[in-house]
C-alpha cells in the first residue's frame, strides 16, 4: 500500500516486485551456502542462479489457488528453474524468508529516513543562524513572556531534529537482524553456521533467539521512533501555523505565483502545508499503537501481525519520508517578518521586561515580595489601560524612590536578553 505522497526512492523499496526480489535474494544466498557444504551440487546451483526468476503477476495468480504468498512465489520461481528447483527453500520455513526480507527493506528505508532527517536538521540550522539576532517575543501558555530571537526558537527544533536522526539510526541498527532458524527457532533443518554466512552476505546480523519469527519488539521500536519523529515535525508545523495567524503574521509559508488559498475568499494565504504535516503525523502515531499491539503473538508464532505490518510499515516509512522532505522545503522557503516580530514584541506595553525590572528593584534594596508587588500592580494597569509599563513605573513612588530613571530605562533594553546568544548559537553551529 504505497501512499501517493511517496518519494520515488522510498516508494521503490515497498513495491511488490521489490519485496519478491528480496525474497529471491534470501533464497539464493541460502542455496549458495548449501552448495559450499556440498549439499547442493554445483551444476544445480548454476541452474538455479541462471534461471531463478519471478513475475509479480504470475505469483499473484498462483496465490489465488494456494492462498499462501510464499508458496505461490516459490512455485513461480520453480517453474522457471526446472528440476534443480528442488533445492530452493531447502531446510527453510516461510518466515525465514519473510522476516529476513522485511529486515532488508526496513534497513534500506531507514537509511533514507536518517538522510532526510539530516537534511531537515541542516535546513533548520541554516535558518537559525540566519535569524540568530532577530528579536521576537517568547510565549508561555500562548501569552507574551520575555524577548527571545527567532533564531533561538529554530535552534531548538534543529537540536530536536538531530536527536531524531540519532534515534532513527539506533532503531534501524536494532532491526538489522534476519533469521534462518526454522519453524520454531531450533535450527532443526538448517545449521546456525549457514544462517551466519547468509546474514553476512546480506549485511544483516543473526537474531540470537527467534521463534518462527523475529520478535516484534524490534519492529515496534522502529515504528514508535518514527512516530516520535513525526510528532516533532508536528510541533514544528504547529509553531508555524500559530505564527501565520492574521493577528500574529510573524512568519508564513511560501505562497507561490498562481497559488490560491480559498475558492471563496481571494485574500486567503493559509498554512496548508503545516496543516498537512499535522494531519499525517497523526497517522504515523496511530500506526505505532498497531505496532505495539503486534508484539504479543501466540506461542512461537501466529499470523495476527502480518496483515497489520503490510499496512503500517509501508505507510509509516513513506509518510515520514514525505513529511521530512516537505518540512525541509517548508523551512527553506519560510517567509520571516522581523519588522512584524518587533511590532508584536512592543505590543504588550513593555510587560515582557517585568522580570528584569523585578530583579533590578531587588538589586536596589527592595525585598522580592515588595518588588514583585510593585511590578505586578503596575503590570495589571498596563494590561487594562494599554499604558506602557515604563511610564507607569516612573509614576510609582515605591519604584522611583529606589531606582533612578536611567537605571529603570536600562531594564527595558532588549539587548540584555541576547547577551548569551553567541554561546547558544555555537551549539547550533556544531550540528
Amino acid at each position: 500500500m504505497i501512499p501517493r505522497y511517496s518519494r520515488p526512492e522510498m516508494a521503490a523499496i515497498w513495491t511488490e516486485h521489490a519485496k519478491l526480489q528480496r525474497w529471491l535474494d534470501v533464497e539464493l544466498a541460502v542455496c549458495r551456502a548449501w552448495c559450499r557444504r556440498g549439499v547442493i551440487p554445483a551444476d544445480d546451483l548454476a541452474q538455479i542462479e541462471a534461471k531463478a526468476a519471478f513475475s509479480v503477476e504470475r505469483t499473484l495468480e498462483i496465490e489465488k489457488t494456494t492462498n499462501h504468498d510464499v508458496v505461490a512465489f516459490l512455485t513461480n520461481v520453480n517453474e522457471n528453474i526446472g528440476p534443480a528447483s528442488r533445492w530452493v527453500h531447502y531446510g527453510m520455513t516461510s518466515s525465514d524468508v519473510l522476516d529476513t526480507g522485511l529486515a532488508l527493506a526496513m534497513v534500506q528505508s531507514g537509511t533514507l529516513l536518517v538522510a532526510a532527517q539530516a537534511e531537515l536538521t541542516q535546513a533548520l540550522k541554516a535558518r537559525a543562524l540566519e535569524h540568530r539576532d532577530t528579536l521576537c517575543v517568547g510565549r508561555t501558555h500562548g501569552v507574551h513572556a520575555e524577548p527571545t530571537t527567532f533564531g533561538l526558537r529554530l535552534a531548538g527544533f534543529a537540536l530536536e531534529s538531530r536527536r531524531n536522526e540519532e534515534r532513527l539510526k539506533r532503531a534501524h541498527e536494532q532491526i538489522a537482524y534476519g533469521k534462518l532458524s526454522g519453524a520454531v527457532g531450533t535450527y532443526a533443518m538448517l545449521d546456525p553456521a549457514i544462517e551466519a554466512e547468509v546474514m553476512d552476505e546480506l549485511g544483516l546480523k543473526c537474531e540470537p533467539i527467534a521463534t518462527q519469527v523475529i520478535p516484534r519488539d524490534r519492529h515496534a521500536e522502529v515504528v514508535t521512533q518514527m512516530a516520535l519523529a513525526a510528532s516533532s515535525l508536528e510541533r514544528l508545523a504547529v509553531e508555524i501555523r500559530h505564527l501565520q495567524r492574521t493577528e500574529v503574521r510573524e512568519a508564513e509559508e511560501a505562497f507561490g505565483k498562481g497559488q490560491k488559498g480559498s475558492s471563496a475568499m481571494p485574500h486567503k494565504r493559509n498554512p496548508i502545508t503545516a496543516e498537512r504535516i499535522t494531519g499525517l503525523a497523526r497517522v504515523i502515531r496511530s500506526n505505532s499503537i498497531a505496532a505495539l499491539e503486534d508484539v504479543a503473538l501466540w506461542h512461537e508464532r501466529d499470523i495476527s501481525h502480518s496483515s497489520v505490518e503490510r499496512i503500517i510499515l509501508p505507510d509509516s516509512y513513506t509518510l515520514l519520508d514525505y513529511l521530512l522532505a516537505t518540512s525541509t522545503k517548508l523551512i527553506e522557503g519560510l517567509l520571516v517578518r522581523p519588522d512584524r516580530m518587533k511590532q508584536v514584541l512592543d505590543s504588550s506595553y513593555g510587560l515582557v521586561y517585568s522580570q528584569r525590572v523585578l530583579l533590578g528593584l531587588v538589586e536596589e534594596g527592595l525585598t522580592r515580595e515588595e518588588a514583585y508587588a510593585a511590578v505586578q500592580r503596575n503590570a495589571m494597569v498596563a494590561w487594562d489601560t494599554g499604558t506602557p509599563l515604563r511610564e507607569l513605573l516612573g509614576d510609582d513612588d515605591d519604584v522611583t524612590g529606589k531606582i533612578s530613571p536611567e537605571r529603570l530605562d536600562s531594564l527595558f533594553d532588549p539587548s540584555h536578553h541576547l547577551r548569551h546568544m553567541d554561546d547558544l548559537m555555537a551549539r547550533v553551529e556544531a550540528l
Side-chain angles (χ1 to χ4, degrees):
M1 186 176 184
I2 307 299
R4 65 185 178 88
Y5 302 112
S6 304
R7 293 198 295 182
E9 312 93 288
M10 181 65 79
I13 295 173
W14 294 97
T15 64
E16 191 71 11
H17 184 276
K19 180 184 76 173
L20 298 184
Q21 183 60 58
R22 287 188 292 270
W23 291 3
L24 185 58
D25 291 341
V26 174
E27 295 283 1
L28 293 177
V30 174
C31 286
R32 286 190 285 270
W34 280 124
C35 184
R36 285 191 291 271
R37 283 160 174 74
V39 175
I40 299 179
D43 289 346
D44 283 354
L45 178 63
Q47 288 294 310
I48 292 170
E49 292 190 312
K51 296 182 178 181
F54 62 87
S55 161
V56 172
E57 293 75 15
R58 176 60 178 152
T59 297
L60 293 175
E61 179 184 353
I62 298 169
E63 190 178 352
K64 292 176 182 177
T65 300
T66 64
N67 201 26
H68 193 292
D69 52 359
V70 175
V71 171
F73 165 73
L74 292 170
T75 300
N76 181 204
V77 171
N78 294 347
E79 288 174 340
N80 294 305
I81 295 174
S85 65
R86 69 186 184 278
W87 299 112
V88 176
H89 206 65
Y90 182 75
M92 301 169 66
T93 192
S94 296
S95 290
D96 291 337
V97 181
L98 292 169
D99 278 6
T100 302
L102 181 58
L104 291 171
M106 294 178 74
V107 169
Q108 292 167 2
S109 298
T111 299
L112 293 180
L113 285 186
V114 172
Q117 187 78 62
E119 290 177 8
L120 176 60
T121 301
Q122 293 307 309
L124 288 164
K125 170 185 174 180
R127 297 309 301 268
L129 294 175
E130 176 188 353
H131 290 285
R132 55 181 292 153
D133 297 322
T134 301
L135 270 172
C136 65
V137 69
R139 297 175 175 88
T140 56
H141 306 276
V143 179
H144 285 198
E146 292 187 347
T148 182
T149 76
F150 191 62
L152 186 60
R153 181 175 291 159
L154 291 179
F157 286 105
L159 270 295
E160 185 174 354
S161 182
R162 172 53 58 83
R163 291 193 294 275
N164 281 319
E165 287 180 51
E166 295 166 351
R167 283 189 281 256
L168 287 169
K169 183 178 179 181
R170 288 196 301 268
H172 285 90
E173 287 172 350
Q174 66 81 42
I175 199 61
Y177 284 80
K179 57 89 64 178
L180 296 172
S181 54
V184 294
T186 60
Y187 298 94
M189 306 299 170
L190 191 150
D191 193 278
I194 293 181
E195 180 188 69
E197 287 182 23
V198 171
M199 295 309 151
D200 185 63
E201 179 180 336
L202 296 174
L204 300 174
K205 289 169 280 189
C206 300
E207 181 62 47
I209 298 293
T211 57
Q212 188 176 100
V213 298
I214 290 174
R216 258 42 199 179
D217 63 292
R218 293 191 182 276
H219 304 74
E221 181 174 350
V222 172
V223 183
T224 52
Q225 293 303 335
M226 288 196 284
L228 181 54
S231 296
S232 293
L233 298 180
E234 182 179 6
R235 188 174 83 88
L236 176 61
V238 167
E239 179 69 25
I240 292 170
R241 290 168 61 193
H242 282 312
L243 295 179
Q244 190 163 338
R245 286 179 298 154
T246 304
E247 296 82 359
V248 181
R249 285 200 75 219
E250 293 184 7
E252 63 180 298
E253 296 180 9
F255 195 82
K257 184 178 180 180
Q259 184 175 339
K260 303 294 189 291
S262 166
S263 64
M265 297 171 284
H267 74 278
K268 296 282 281 180
R269 291 168 61 150
N270 302 325
I272 58 171
T273 301
E275 289 173 342
R276 191 184 315 135
I277 292 168
T278 296
L280 293 177
R282 297 169 183 166
V283 176
I284 299 177
R285 280 200 300 276
S286 68
N287 287 348
S288 71
I289 301 300
L292 292 169
E293 294 291 335
D294 277 350
V295 173
L297 302 178
W298 286 17
H299 305 299
E300 276 61 55
R301 185 227 184 171
D302 64 60
I303 203 172
S304 60
H305 65 289
S306 178
S307 56
V308 178
E309 290 174 353
R310 291 169 192 246
I311 297 173
I312 67 170
L313 292 179
D315 270 11
S316 296
Y317 275 110
T318 52
L319 281 176
L320 182 56
D321 184 61
Y322 168 78
L323 291 180
L324 287 167
T326 302
S327 298
T328 299
K329 183 178 179 181
L330 175 60
I331 291 301
E332 289 174 342
L334 189 67
L335 178 60
V336 181
R337 301 182 180 279
D339 292 343
R340 177 59 183 162
M341 290 179 177
K342 182 64 165 59
Q343 290 174 359
V344 173
L345 176 64
D346 294 338
S347 68
S348 52
Y349 324 116
L351 293 171
V352 294
Y353 302 104
S354 68
Q355 181 178 201
R356 184 88 173 95
V357 176
L358 165 66
L359 297 181
L361 290 173
V362 169
E363 292 166 4
E364 298 294 338
L366 291 181
T367 67
R368 183 177 180 85
E369 291 73 18
E370 291 170 337
Y372 195 104
V375 176
Q376 185 183 49
R377 179 175 66 246
N378 286 283
M380 295 306 103
V381 175
W383 273 125
D384 293 337
T385 67
T387 305
L389 178 62
R390 170 63 183 85
E391 180 180 327
L392 292 169
L393 291 171
D395 293 334
D396 188 315
D397 293 340
D398 291 341
V399 174
T400 57
K402 285 291 184 180
I403 193 168
S404 70
E406 294 76 19
R407 170 73 168 137
L408 191 57
D409 286 340
S410 72
L411 300 179
F412 286 79
D413 182 358
S415 65
H416 174 83
H417 297 269
L418 307 183
R419 68 191 193 281
H420 296 302
M421 202 56 59
D422 287 344
D423 290 339
L424 290 169
M425 285 301 162
R427 302 171 187 177
V428 181
E429 290 170 346
L431 288 176

